[in-house]
Amino acid sequence: MRLTLIPAVMAGAVLAGCASEGTSSGTNGKNTPTQNVQAQYTCSGKRNVAVTYEFQGDKVVGANIERRGKEHALFLAEMTDGDFTAFTDGSLTWLAAGQVTRDSIAAHAGSRLLGVTRGGRNATLAEQCQPQAAARTAP
């Protein structure tokens, strides 16, 4: 009887801990609507990069990059310094110049797109990216 009761109690404690952990992300259990803001960049070598930034409330949480007809979902990197905000999926990294807010997207002059080559080396895919026009909110 004790052997079956102890695992059941432990499982209940673990599940209760997991359930409370999900609401401690700063949203207090409320669903914050997601809003997308699109921006177009022209980079050196006449390369164009389309970026859609994803915001939850006032905080940027990700970016989608369209490159060579393929869309890449990038997540906000943990390691971000004051000069750049980094988004990555492990193979592509978008370095937005400065801090990303809804108001600052059109001012990210000098942003870069980095990638990992087939040989496993880092390569600059686009650099000195300048915003083409004011960013617009995506539907």
Side-chain angles (χ1 to χ4, degrees):
M1 174 87 176
R2 270 197 314 179
L3 293 177
T4 58
L5 184 60
I6 291 174
V9 171
M10 292 297 289
V14 169
L15 290 175
C18 291
S20 64
E21 183 179 336
T23 60
S24 65
S25 64
T27 60
N28 294 327
K30 299 177 187 172
N31 284 338
T32 306
T34 301
Q35 184 179 22
N36 296 330
V37 179
Q38 295 176 340
Q40 294 283 335
Y41 295 88
T42 301
C43 308
S44 62
K46 297 187 179 182
R47 291 192 171 125
N48 292 322
V49 177
V51 181
T52 303
Y53 295 99
E54 184 178 330
F55 288 88
Q56 285 184 344
D58 291 333
K59 184 178 178 185
V60 66
V61 294
N64 291 315
I65 301 276
E66 187 177 322
R67 182 175 172 266
R68 295 184 180 173
K70 187 176 179 186
E71 192 162 319
H72 300 271
L74 309 179
F75 301 97
L76 183 64
E78 293 290 326
M79 190 177 76
T80 301
D81 64 16
D83 295 335
F84 289 95
T85 302
F87 301 90
T88 189
D89 68 354
S91 63
L92 276 181
T93 301
W94 173 249
L95 295 172
Q99 193 173 24
V100 176
T101 65
R102 284 188 184 95
D103 297 332
S104 71
I105 290 173
H108 290 156
S111 298
R112 295 182 295 192
L113 182 63
L114 308 175
V116 178
T117 63
R118 288 186 181 149
R121 295 183 173 204
N122 292 329
T124 302
L125 304 175
E127 61 185 343
Q128 295 303 320
C129 300
Q130 310 296 327
Q132 289 181 358
R136 61 188 164 106
T137 302

